[in-house]
Amino acid sequence: MCGIVGYIGARDATPVIVNGLRKLEYRGYDSTGVAILDRGRLSLRRAAGKLDKLEAILAGAPVQGHAGIGHTRWATHGCPSESNAHPHRAGDTVVVHNGIIENYLELKEALLGRGAELRSDTDTEIVAHLVEENIEQGMDLLEAVRRTIREIDGSYALVFLSQREPHRLIVAKNSTPIVIGAGEGETFIASDIPALLEYTREVAFLEDGEVADVRADGFHILDSDSRPLERATKTITWDALAAQKGGYRHFMLKEIHEQPQAVTDTLRGRISAMSGEIDLAELDLDGDLLARVRKIHLVGCGTAWHAALVGKFLIEDLARIPTEVDYGSEFRHRAPLIDSDSLVLLVSQSGETADTLAALDMGLQKDARTVSICNVVDSSLARKSHAVLYTHAGPEISVASTKAFTTQLTALYLLAIGLGRLNGRLRPDAATRLLEHAARLPGWIETALKLEEPIAELAHGLSHARDVLYLGRGINYPIALEGALKLKEISYIHAEGYPAGEMKHGPIALIDETMPVVMILPKDHYYPKTLINLKEVESRGGNVVVVTDEPDPGMASKPTLTVPKVPYHLAPVVLTVPLQLLAYHVAVHRGTDVDQPRNLAKSVTVE
């Protein structure tokens, strides 16, 4: 989710690149930099922090040239710092990179063994060294890049610049977006369209495995077998704000649709479905941190608390470790029983939630092991925990959390498997099946997203409701809570999530013909009892909306949203998607501020 901008042409490249990076600030970042070919020599300027700091450096040490690349970095490998900021240089070659190089440790060891001097903690710097090595063996920049990408595994949008070949930029793509803009005697490169719109609206998108040779007078694209491709440009008609949102009406909708990629990035480099192995190197599963854990305290706030509730089901079922779940705001005020054999597991998108940080402090004071599941690299929570499992969801702009939630569920699923393998409660063959299921999860989410059109139609009727009840059972009861939270957050309709089996203990009194009831009804072992709950709602005149993975013929007359049939432990992730879309479209019909709902902040940094 970082920002990339490249330029080659007659203009001064520096202002073009900085201006483009400014247009990508909405994506979030923690450091920035540029590399400019200045009178035939590469000049780098980098800074930790925001673009203002880079611009101050450029004001004091200006650099001009007709070709350059720039980057805003959202840290993955290595904390935010000037040395970890992009571009990265090796000899005469510089590179900017979005994505994750999965086998970088192996490549790094090989480079160090050959005498390379690495100056950063990133996975990106090794790519620059590999390309420079190939150039030193007699290859031109294009062939050096092509040879290098055959060595690396993972996701990447890479842009290269070499002072040996100042007339070209080379771009390579796999699983991470990159776009080329065509101008008159100049060519632009960016990770997202907003960076280009001031200069051109004629763009071409690279596909996975492709490499582009970019020059001032145009570009040529090669496929993975080095065969030239014809790629016509497309004309972009969006305005600048729509472009930031990728053409979506709101950031929330964009982020809902980004979930297949976000979950892919959470899984990337951590699973091998073929071998049944899980790699959570950041948690040191072979070391002492988690080896003696006898009890787990899961802590979160809001949506993260709902993720923690699902995590309890996953951990107790797969690892058989007793697990409690607490709100961050309540945890430290109830004198929880914590000792050195306890794990305090904290869930947060931002890593800056005040109540969650207070819970972490209590865990540390009581000598517990602490692990955070977090999206923001080098956040306060991540820095203070003994270990952190990053979700790699990328910046989430909308206040209502969507992709952060599903990636938290994915991370908890991986952690439960890892703990189960660590303590021997989960057999290798069972772990293999679970990881095979994980590998299919992004595809299942893609299928669920195809429900958007019928959901938008259904939302029109629900938008007039005063109250909505969400019901679910077992591992999907927290999804009822999350569905209700999403609706109330952005549409301002009162909504309540409840365990379906508890409906008779109070909420049933509310049900009449004016009350919509969203029933989460997968065909799992709770299904027969949940179906009885549905009949009880019907008999009292409730307007039932069914979210299921296997419609019952008896439900034909009811509004039904059918998601793919998925294994029990991953059902919460997939069943969440239609509830997110439902909340979104209800809010749109009601005309509320979807991305910035009233009274809410993205990160609650005060108690």
Side-chain angles (χ1 to χ4, degrees):
M1 294 300 296
C2 315
I4 286 176
V5 179
Y7 175 78
I8 186 166
R11 305 179 199 234
D12 180 5
T14 304
V16 173
I17 292 169
V18 172
N19 185 42
L21 293 176
R22 184 72 72 183
K23 297 295 196 300
L24 299 179
E25 282 193 295
Y26 71 93
R27 297 165 70 92
Y29 64 101
D30 46 49
S31 60
T32 186
V34 296
I36 306 295
L37 267 174
D38 184 5
R39 294 181 294 275
R41 307 294 296 177
L42 280 171
S43 296
L44 272 67
R45 304 287 187 270
R46 302 186 300 183
K50 298 300 183 181
L51 271 167
D52 291 344
K53 292 187 176 181
L54 177 66
E55 288 181 310
I57 291 171
L58 287 166
V63 57
Q64 293 182 324
H66 299 299
I69 54 179
H71 194 264
T72 50
R73 177 179 186 253
W74 177 271
T76 54
H77 297 76
C79 66
S81 66
E82 188 277 333
S83 62
N84 286 331
H86 297 211
H88 287 286
R89 180 172 186 170
D92 292 334
T93 302
V94 288
V95 63
V96 291
H97 168 221
N98 286 354
I100 297 173
I101 306 301
E102 295 176 13
N103 61 335
Y104 92 101
L105 287 175
E106 169 191 333
L107 295 171
K108 179 179 179 179
E109 289 178 7
L111 281 167
L112 292 172
R114 295 195 294 269
E117 294 185 12
L118 302 180
R119 296 179 173 84
S120 78
D121 303 315
T122 70
D123 55 338
T124 301
E125 187 185 1
I126 61 106
V127 180
H129 282 271
L130 291 172
V131 169
E132 184 68 11
E133 281 187 344
N134 288 332
I135 291 173
E136 289 173 353
Q137 293 174 16
M139 302 178 198
D140 70 358
L141 182 60
L142 176 61
E143 183 53 34
V145 170
R146 291 192 51 77
R147 177 71 62 86
T148 296
I149 63 175
R150 288 197 290 267
E151 294 185 60
I152 62 177
D153 299 326
S155 62
Y156 52 80
L158 294 158
V159 186
F160 298 88
L161 173 64
S162 172
Q163 66 185 24
R164 288 188 179 95
E165 301 180 46
H167 59 285
R168 70 191 333 188
L169 303 173
I170 303 297
V171 186
K173 178 199 182 295
N174 186 56
S175 300
T176 299
I178 197 79
V179 59
I180 300 172
E184 292 292 330
E186 57 186 357
T187 310
F188 307 83
I189 301 164
S191 52
D192 209 351
I193 289 170
L196 308 179
L197 288 183
E198 184 175 330
Y199 308 103
T200 181
R201 290 179 177 266
E202 297 300 316
V203 304
F205 298 90
L206 260 62
E207 302 295 338
D208 287 352
E210 294 179 349
V211 174
D213 185 353
V214 176
R215 308 186 185 219
D217 59 358
F219 58 91
H220 301 282
I221 299 175
L222 304 175
D223 69 11
S224 57
D225 295 317
S226 298
R227 294 174 298 205
L229 298 170
E230 293 293 330
R231 182 72 44 80
T233 60
K234 297 180 179 180
T235 303
I236 299 300
T237 58
W238 309 333
D239 62 28
L241 183 60
Q244 286 185 1
K245 298 170 184 173
Y248 293 100
R249 185 172 176 180
H250 297 96
F251 281 112
M252 181 180 178
L253 186 60
K254 178 175 184 278
E255 288 156 7
I256 289 171
H257 282 270
E258 286 176 342
Q259 287 176 116
Q261 183 61 54
V263 168
T264 296
D265 290 339
T266 304
L267 296 170
R268 193 182 305 281
R270 290 170 168 162
I271 66 170
S272 173
M274 295 291 291
S275 65
E277 295 179 357
I278 185 165
D279 182 2
L280 300 178
E282 55 268 73
L283 302 187
D284 190 23
L285 290 179
D286 295 326
D288 186 57
L289 177 64
L290 301 178
R292 298 196 316 274
V293 168
R294 298 292 177 263
K295 185 178 181 181
I296 295 176
H297 298 265
L298 263 164
V299 181
C301 297
T303 286
W305 182 72
H306 297 157
L309 289 173
V310 176
K312 173 182 170 69
F313 281 92
L314 295 170
I315 292 168
E316 291 193 338
D317 193 21
L318 300 178
R320 310 304 295 163
I321 301 173
T323 302
E324 296 181 0
V325 181
D326 280 271
Y327 284 111
S329 57
E330 298 293 325
F331 181 65
R332 65 194 175 102
H333 297 295
R334 70 168 184 85
L337 301 176
I338 306 172
D339 58 25
S340 60
D341 289 337
S342 301
L343 169 64
V344 178
L345 180 55
L346 307 120
V347 184
S348 171
Q349 189 283 137
S350 67
E352 302 296 344
T353 305
D355 289 318
T356 307
L357 286 167
L360 169 64
D361 289 340
M362 170 178 270
L364 293 171
Q365 289 166 11
K366 292 183 176 291
D367 201 30
R369 294 103 191 282
T370 59
V371 171
S372 59
I373 292 177
C374 188
N375 188 36
V376 178
V377 172
D378 209 38
S379 60
S380 298
L381 192 69
R383 291 195 308 271
K384 296 174 70 175
S385 301
H386 290 124
V388 56
L389 189 62
Y390 287 117
T391 55
H392 299 307
E396 190 176 63
I397 308 301
S398 180
V399 166
S401 182
T402 53
K403 63 178 181 175
F405 177 65
T406 49
T407 54
Q408 286 165 357
L409 297 182
T410 305
L412 285 162
Y413 180 82
L414 294 179
L415 178 58
I417 296 170
L419 290 171
R421 291 296 299 124
L422 178 65
N423 65 17
R425 300 295 181 91
L426 188 63
R427 291 167 52 89
D429 57 339
T432 297
R433 286 194 300 273
L434 292 166
L435 295 176
E436 288 171 348
H437 298 158
R440 298 182 62 189
L441 182 57
W444 287 324
I445 298 172
E446 287 274 15
T447 302
L449 287 167
K450 295 177 182 177
L451 291 168
E452 183 167 6
E453 186 174 340
I455 288 172
E457 295 176 5
L458 176 63
H460 183 71
L462 288 180
S463 66
H464 303 293
R466 179 177 176 180
D467 308 277
V468 181
L469 184 62
Y470 287 71
L471 299 175
R473 291 194 83 133
I475 198 170
N476 293 307
Y477 151 57
I479 303 311
L481 294 175
E482 175 63 11
L485 178 62
K486 283 292 151 293
L487 188 71
K488 72 180 76 170
E489 279 181 318
I490 62 173
S491 74
Y492 315 146
I493 294 173
H494 170 256
E496 188 171 356
Y498 228 79
E502 288 293 302
M503 179 184 61
K504 295 187 291 294
H505 298 274
I508 199 167
L510 299 172
I511 295 174
D512 60 19
E513 64 279 358
T514 68
M515 169 74 84
V517 178
V518 179
M519 182 72 71
I520 301 169
L521 191 62
K523 202 71 174 283
D524 57 18
H525 58 280
Y526 294 102
Y527 180 82
K529 293 187 179 296
T530 315
L531 192 59
I532 292 171
N533 301 140
L534 185 152
K535 298 298 183 184
E536 291 168 337
V537 171
E538 279 187 316
S539 68
R540 286 151 179 87
N543 299 315
V544 179
V545 176
V546 178
V547 183
T548 185
D549 56 8
E550 190 174 328
D552 188 286
M555 301 179 202
S557 62
K558 302 176 186 62
T560 301
L561 302 171
T562 305
V563 302
K565 184 73 175 176
V566 303
Y568 171 78
H569 296 104
L570 290 175
V573 182
V574 179
L575 289 165
T576 293
V577 174
L579 302 184
Q580 294 170 342
L581 289 168
L582 184 63
Y584 170 79
H585 284 286
V586 168
V588 169
H589 281 301
R590 289 172 65 87
T592 62
D593 188 343
V594 171
D595 286 330
Q596 295 289 330
R598 66 190 183 201
N599 303 332
L600 295 177
K602 184 63 180 171
S603 179
V604 182
T605 57
V606 295
E607 295 185 34

